[in-house]
Amino acid sequence: MKRILVTGAAGFVGQHALSALSAASGPADRILGIGRGSPDVLPERVAYETVDLLDEPALNACLAAFRPTDVLHLAAMASVQQSADAPGETWRVNLIGLLNLAEAVVRSAPGAGFLFVSSGEVYGRAFLSGRPLTEAAAPDPQGPYARSKWFGETILRDLLARTGVRLVILRPFNQVGAGQDERFVLPSFAGQIARIEAGLVPPVLEVGNLAAERDFLPVGDVVRAYAELIARGVDIADGSVFNVASGRPRSIASVVSDLRRHARVAFEVRVAADRMRASEIPVAAGDATRLRTATGWTPRGDWDAAIADVLEHARARLGRPGP
């Protein structure tokens, strides 16, 4: 019987992860999500508690009562731009919360598997090679978000060494799906298009660097990778690092073209200075061969359906869903 704890369970990826784990779990398994907000819907066999990772007494009590066999740590400030605007908060949430969780796991669940969701952003300037990176590439993180994730990986190797807790590090690349907020590129475009369709703003889509290429995956593919790694448990070596990526970068210009095919009205595209990043990496893509070898995982989500879902979600938020 597995007892799976998911942090950040009320967030975009967290809610998708709860659904994937529920679908993959057996009748005796238990899944507990924790977070600061409230999930929209709880899948079958999933419980939820409001627990802030910065509240040590509450977190310790939760772990002592649940005694997880597996921990999927998703809770973080996950937006690169938000982290750049609030670096102090980023370090506080992404590192102090992680420290509190790791220490609580060591105390209450010393035999657990700890899956730390880091980020493909840790590779940073290593992407300047122009090719999809494997886990052997030396990280060179840029900015508070990426650096906090890289420091998190490093700290966990020290904290969990010789404790019996098995560490697995995951480096997902760009994830897309319904429910992601507009701090991320695809839902930002979808939100603008939905407002254009509703006649709330002029028919102008503001964009940043259209030439940039990024590795996108439907979020369902990403959380399925997490579920498959948890299912394999002790078969995954302690200290393993896995990219979760498609290996096929898409230009932001192509993303705009894909959204345009689903839009109900025509619009102009305009580059906005405030949407351009100061240190843009031209191409960022990952090689997930190691994950595929370990679990058999391969991306199988429908990109066009994911695009349509994101746009339909943006319309629904305005109260104007499609037929």
Side-chain angles (χ1 to χ4, degrees), residues 8-19:
F12 163 61
V13 179
Q15 294 190 68
H16 286 277
L18 292 180
S19 295

Side-chain angles (χ1 to χ4, degrees), residues 91 94-96 98-99 102 148-161 167:
W91 283 99
N94 290 5
L95 279 189
I96 296 177
L98 173 62
L99 285 167
S148 72
K149 286 295 189 179
W150 173 236
F151 272 77
E153 293 186 20
T154 306
I155 287 169
L156 285 174
R157 292 188 187 281
D158 289 337
L159 285 179
L160 302 183
L167 174 63

Side-chain angles (χ1 to χ4, degrees), residues 36-301:
R36 293 192 290 188
S38 298
D40 298 329
V41 178
L42 279 180
E44 291 184 13
R45 297 192 304 279
V46 174
Y48 183 83
E49 295 181 14
T50 302
V51 178
D52 189 332
L53 298 188
L54 300 178
D55 183 345
E56 289 187 72
L59 179 62
N60 288 330
C62 174
L63 269 288
F66 188 63
R67 299 182 62 83
T69 60
D70 301 89
V71 176
L72 177 61
H73 180 45
L74 290 163
M77 284 184 66
S79 162
V80 172
Q81 188 57 55
Q82 181 189 24
S83 295
D85 294 339
E89 180 70 3
T90 298
W91 283 99
R92 191 168 70 91
V93 171
N94 290 5
L95 279 189
I96 296 177
L98 173 62
L99 285 167
N100 291 345
L101 177 65
E103 290 175 342
V105 171
V106 170
R107 278 191 293 270
S108 298
F114 193 112
L115 279 74
F116 174 55
V117 179
S118 179
S119 171
E121 290 279 341
V122 301
Y123 293 115
R125 291 181 61 81
F127 286 124
L128 294 176
S129 68
R131 63 180 183 275
L133 297 180
T134 70
E135 297 84 353
D140 187 5
Q142 307 295 303
Y145 171 72
R147 281 193 283 267
S148 72
K149 286 295 189 179
W150 173 236
F151 272 77
E153 293 186 20
T154 306
I155 287 169
L156 285 174
R157 292 188 187 281
D158 289 337
L159 285 179
L160 302 183
R162 298 182 296 278
T163 64
V165 176
R166 293 173 289 104
L167 174 63
V168 178
I169 293 170
L170 306 167
R171 294 175 179 165
F173 283 63
N174 300 66
Q175 303 157 72
V176 300
Q180 192 175 29
D181 70 49
E182 292 193 24
R183 290 172 296 188
F184 298 86
V185 63
L186 200 156
S188 170
F189 293 166
Q192 290 184 69
I193 291 169
R195 290 188 286 275
I196 290 168
E197 291 175 341
L200 300 176
V201 296
V204 178
L205 178 69
E206 292 193 344
V207 301
N209 182 3
L210 290 175
E213 298 182 33
R214 295 294 181 263
D215 191 325
F216 291 96
L217 275 176
V219 67
D221 279 333
V222 176
V223 296
R224 180 167 49 84
Y226 301 166
E228 291 180 5
L229 285 165
I230 288 173
R232 280 161 177 76
V234 295
D235 292 337
I236 304 300
D238 181 26
S240 294
V241 180
F242 295 102
N243 289 337
V244 185
S246 74
R248 298 172 55 192
R250 299 174 185 269
S251 71
I252 304 303
S254 75
V255 172
V256 172
S257 295
D258 292 339
L259 283 165
R260 193 189 290 276
R261 286 189 292 101
H262 291 279
R264 298 171 182 166
V265 298
F267 55 82
E268 174 189 346
V269 175
R270 180 183 300 164
V271 175
D274 62 351
R275 291 177 177 268
M276 300 290 286
R277 283 199 205 172
S279 57
E280 191 75 62
I281 300 293
V283 180
D287 181 326
T289 300
R290 182 182 291 179
L291 176 62
R292 184 165 56 251
T293 301
T295 68
W297 175 90
T298 57
R300 63 186 186 209

